[in-house]
Amino acid sequence: AASRALAAGADVAAAEAGATASLEAALYGAMSANLGAMLPACLTWEEAAWARLKCWVDLGIDDALEEMYGGEEDVDMDGEVAGANASWPVAEVRVQLPGGDDPAPEIFRALADEQASGRSVAAESSGLQRVVQRAIIIEDWAGLVEALSSWLAQDDGSEHQPGAAERARFAAHLVFALRALARRLEVDEDADEEDASILHFARGGMFATAVDDIATRYVVHLIEDERCLLMVPAYLAWMSPELRDLQFALFLGHMHNAPLDAKRAVYDEARPLFEASAGAIGSAASGTIRAVNEARYRAPPGAAGVALKAAAGEWLVCAPELHAHAMCYAVAVLRELALGGESSAAAMRLLDSLVEPAMASVPQTDASAAGSDDLMEADEGTDANTARLTAPEDMDVFEAEAWRQYFECQAALEELAEVMAKRGDPTEPPSPMWAE
């Protein structure tokens, strides 16, 4: 300990020599925890931060050595006894540094002070990278989220801002990494009180909303890119359940016109990532049903609305657990088509795209599974033309088949009206083909 003190004292003396160059003085200062000799050579934020932290660590080492060996004597090169602090002005060195067990807050304040660290270092302290470093080191999670939100908000109101996607990706990955750590600590029985602050990332409230808002910005970039749509469910899975379901529904709405294979790929990606909701079906399924119903409610009248309803309904044939909802949805839309007087062709397309795939997996009675022709039963002694439909246990399946027959009849009537319109003289008797 005494030899270390003597060496440090010599370095202090060398650093304070008037003829010593600044870089050489900084070198001696680094060897003796003399911050005042080091700072003039520190031109960047990293250099100034390293100098302050190194001096604090060196003093901590000296304190530990003094505590362990402070009672022992050392002999210098002349054979004289030297005390541990005989040649080292510890008080002059210590006054330059913060005290306590955690110097980080004071060091960061000094780095941001122009008088203490210089103009260039202080200016660099306000950059996002330094703000993030500071927040992580001193565990200022609220300050971190606020800084990231303010940083990303600068890209609002300007389309295709250069670097906006990269900035959003960095921020989203950072908050999700911290949320993953918090969730792991939340279930870790060995976690101590020092880990408590980061658990904010695993809880709800306004803080969680701000974190999700940061992630949402990057999800928007992924959706707009359209080359990374399969990545969207992976990011949504780390959001809080309430906002995740909302964003998932909006995402599916954006993909209504995508091919069925692309829809199935997205749903298959989301299903194992989303935990089950409070209901009997998974969160991915509930979000899908929500998205489809919202598309149906906002669909405009006419052919455009029918096309939107049909395209949105395709999400419900992406997985077996959705097929029963596909039947219910198809029946509701078919009712709207009948009441709205839409053409039978639109209804038949809906039946082919939704009902047929859903019929393959929905539990049905023998009557409903056999097809629409076999849904007609004639009682004994009843003419086949007066036979009535027999409803199976699944009323949606039964009603869908009934609507199929209805629109098949409507198609025949439409064809009949078209033929009549083409007749040259309506007073002439019909041809054998027309009579048939």
Side-chain angles (χ1 to χ4, degrees):
S3 298
R4 178 181 173 89
L6 287 172
D11 292 329
V12 169
E16 292 177 351
T20 305
S22 61
L23 292 179
E24 186 178 358
L27 178 61
Y28 286 120
M31 298 171 63
S32 58
N34 188 354
L35 181 62
M38 298 173 66
L39 286 180
C42 298
L43 303 180
T44 65
W45 188 93
E46 292 94 337
E47 294 171 354
W50 176 84
R52 293 179 180 277
L53 288 170
K54 184 184 186 306
C55 291
W56 183 84
V57 170
D58 285 348
L59 286 179
I61 294 174
D62 285 311
D63 288 342
L65 291 174
E66 175 67 19
E67 184 178 352
M68 295 174 63
Y69 306 109
E72 299 181 5
E73 295 180 338
D74 204 353
V75 179
D76 61 17
M77 296 181 62
D78 296 330
E80 297 180 0
V81 176
N85 297 322
S87 303
W88 192 21
V90 176
E92 298 177 15
V93 173
R94 286 189 183 278
V95 75
Q96 306 174 37
L97 299 170
D101 296 332
D102 184 7
E106 183 61 34
I107 287 178
F108 281 115
R109 279 192 289 270
L111 290 171
D113 187 350
E114 185 174 327
Q115 291 183 348
S117 300
R119 180 177 300 177
S120 61
V121 173
E124 193 176 350
S125 296
S126 60
L128 180 70
Q129 180 183 356
R130 307 310 174 196
V131 172
V132 169
Q133 287 175 317
R134 170 192 170 278
I136 293 176
I137 291 174
I138 69 175
E139 298 184 1
D140 179 15
W141 308 124
L144 172 64
V145 171
E146 182 181 356
L148 291 174
S149 299
S150 301
W151 186 50
L152 297 178
Q154 298 176 6
D155 295 326
D156 292 345
S158 56
E159 297 183 0
H160 307 295
Q161 185 78 4
E166 289 74 12
R167 289 188 286 272
R169 179 177 59 194
F170 166 77
H173 285 191
L174 178 58
V175 296
F176 280 162
L178 294 170
R179 177 169 282 179
L181 178 60
R183 289 179 179 178
R184 177 174 295 184
L185 291 173
E186 199 173 28
V187 298
D188 187 0
E189 297 179 355
D190 298 330
D192 51 29
E193 294 182 358
E194 294 181 357
D195 301 323
S197 63
I198 201 173
L199 294 180
H200 289 294
F201 282 94
R203 296 166 183 164
M206 295 299 295
F207 184 83
T209 302
V211 172
D212 290 335
D213 180 65
I214 291 173
T216 300
R217 292 175 180 272
Y218 184 51
V219 169
V220 170
H221 284 287
L222 290 176
I223 294 174
E224 292 177 349
D225 191 312
E226 295 188 352
R227 296 175 300 174
C228 308
L229 295 178
L230 287 179
M231 296 174 60
V232 172
Y235 285 90
L236 294 178
W238 284 97
M239 291 186 178
S240 56
E242 299 80 8
L243 185 60
R244 180 196 59 216
D245 292 347
L246 172 62
Q247 293 296 331
F248 186 57
L250 294 175
F251 170 53
L252 298 188
H254 178 81
M255 288 190 63
H256 279 332
N257 294 324
L260 180 58
D261 290 342
K263 293 178 179 177
R264 283 177 173 156
V266 167
Y267 185 83
D268 290 342
E269 189 75 17
R271 181 165 46 178
L273 293 174
F274 295 1
E275 69 271 17
S277 62
I281 61 175
S283 181
S286 62
T288 302
I289 296 169
R290 174 179 179 176
V292 171
N293 287 328
E294 288 178 355
R296 173 190 161 204
Y297 295 144
R298 69 170 183 267
V306 175
L308 176 60
K309 293 174 184 178
E314 287 184 344
W315 284 108
L316 298 176
V317 298
C318 289
E321 66 265 23
L322 294 171
H323 286 178
H325 299 277
M327 295 297 302
C328 180
Y329 176 83
V331 166
V333 176
L334 288 169
R335 292 173 187 169
E336 295 172 1
L337 295 181
L339 292 174
E342 298 291 343
S343 66
S344 60
M348 297 305 291
R349 285 194 297 270
L350 184 72
L351 285 162
D352 293 338
S353 62
L354 298 184
V355 175
E356 291 299 332
M359 288 276 286
S361 62
V362 175
Q364 305 164 31
T365 62
D366 292 340
S368 64
S372 58
D373 294 338
D374 295 330
L375 282 171
M376 302 293 293
E377 284 190 359
D379 296 332
E380 186 176 353
T382 304
D383 185 80
N385 293 327
T386 61
R388 295 185 177 182
L389 287 169
T390 301
E393 295 179 2
D394 192 323
M395 290 303 298
D396 288 333
V397 175
F398 169 71
E399 185 174 347
E401 290 297 337
W403 280 118
R404 181 183 291 278
Q405 296 183 34
Y406 170 87
F407 283 107
E408 286 176 351
C409 292
Q410 179 176 320
L413 291 174
E414 291 171 356
E415 184 179 357
L416 177 63
E418 184 179 354
V419 172
M420 289 183 64
K422 293 179 179 179
R423 292 182 62 190
D425 186 359
T427 60
E428 296 182 357
S431 64
M433 180 181 297
W434 168 252
E436 183 180 355

